[in-house]
Amino acid sequence: MGDAGGTGNPGAPAGTGNPGAPGLSARDEAVLAVESRSWPGPGPKERAIREQLGISPTRYYQLLNALLDDPRALAHAPVTVNRLRRVRDARRARR
């Protein structure tokens, strides 16, 4: 039987929807991988988001924003997460 309660069962699916899980889901890792790449502009990045992840850019950024506050994401991709946190904090400070 699955772990619907999010108690951290190692066999349960991991991801931002299951905060008790020990690691990130494959989708969360893929989101961080896309964000860690260098892009020449927004067009190619949006195309890659749709083709590689099968989600809209809006959903991608929602997932990415949630990952910035997830300690598992920080452990998985500290350089990317810390860079994005700095960018987010700078934008908030300008408002």
Side-chain angles (χ1 to χ4, degrees):
M1 191 154 178
D3 180 33
T7 58
N9 179 346
T16 55
N18 189 358
L24 294 172
S25 70
R27 181 184 65 182
D28 291 343
E29 289 181 9
V31 166
L32 291 170
V34 167
E35 194 60 32
S36 68
R37 291 179 53 192
S38 177
W39 297 97
K45 183 177 182 179
E46 288 182 5
R47 209 168 16 263
I49 290 167
R50 290 185 191 281
E51 291 173 3
Q52 294 173 17
L53 302 177
I55 59 176
S56 72
T58 299
R59 181 67 181 140
Y60 169 84
Y61 286 108
Q62 290 170 340
L63 293 169
L64 181 61
N65 193 48
L67 284 169
L68 296 185
D69 297 320
D70 189 330
R72 296 170 299 172
L74 181 62
H76 178 76
V79 173
T80 300
V81 171
N82 282 325
R83 175 179 56 83
L84 293 170
R85 283 179 175 178
R86 284 191 303 272
V87 170
R88 180 178 67 178
D89 292 345
R91 285 186 181 145
R92 285 181 178 167
R94 280 186 262 152
R95 291 183 188 171

